[in-house]
Amino acid sequence: MSAPTYDDGNVFAKILRGELPAERLYEDDHTLAIMDIMPRGDGHCLVIPKAPARNVLDADTESLAAVAQTTQRMARAVMKAFGADGVTIQQFNESAGGQVVFHLHVHVIPRFDGIAMKPHTGAMEDADVLKANAEKIRAALG
């Protein structure tokens, strides 16, 4: 059985091409960080590579390194922006591994002692809330 291939019609590919809107937080030559529209906590953001990659299984090492660097940058920024006690980093691969959108992406979620993550209900956050949270993160990035 051959490995699944990359589908350039996925939502993150469309965001990268400018075909869908996103609350952009940080961008460099290799990565883009955006707000998650279905956050599991305030400040939940995503880091994606610009190069096509279905997930960690087929990503090139340069993209993985860039994603790791941007993930660390975003983790520090959300901790600062929200005064968080910690941060959860999640990355899923293939359906059996919990992946829903098949473009490599890393979840960065600020966490607070005694507060559970919200369940993933599929409900979209209010655009004004996302914008306000994005402004806090961009300010923390400097």
Side-chain angles (χ1 to χ4, degrees):
M1 186 170 143
S2 64
T5 57
Y6 181 78
D7 174 10
D8 70 358
N10 72 73
V11 66
F12 297 141
K14 289 178 180 181
I15 288 169
L16 286 166
R17 290 192 302 265
E19 296 170 6
L20 288 176
E23 193 65 54
R24 292 171 178 250
L25 302 168
Y26 171 82
E27 187 168 1
D28 61 27
D29 290 343
H30 302 285
T31 63
L32 174 66
I34 60 175
M35 294 302 296
D36 191 312
I37 63 170
M38 293 180 272
R40 300 200 54 206
D42 288 343
H44 181 167
C45 60
L46 302 169
V47 176
I48 61 175
K50 290 184 174 180
R54 184 176 169 90
N55 52 45
V56 75
L57 302 170
D58 69 340
D60 63 70
T61 56
E62 183 179 20
S63 288
L64 284 176
V67 166
Q69 289 174 337
T70 299
T71 297
Q72 183 183 54
R73 179 184 298 253
M74 298 312 299
R76 289 174 174 162
V78 299
M79 290 274 298
K80 180 179 176 184
F82 292 91
D85 300 309
V87 62
T88 293
I89 308 290
Q90 294 180 317
Q91 194 277 317
F92 306 97
N93 299 282
E94 296 302 331
S95 296
Q99 187 176 11
V100 177
V101 177
F102 295 95
H103 181 104
L104 175 63
H105 60 287
V106 177
H107 297 261
V108 180
I109 309 165
R111 299 299 304 279
F112 304 89
D113 289 333
I115 300 175
M117 274 196 301
K118 296 176 193 173
H120 185 20
T121 62
M124 286 199 215
E125 180 61 86
D126 180 80
D128 290 336
V129 172
L130 290 177
K131 186 174 183 64
N133 287 341
E135 287 171 4
K136 288 181 186 179
I137 296 168
R138 285 191 291 264
L141 284 166

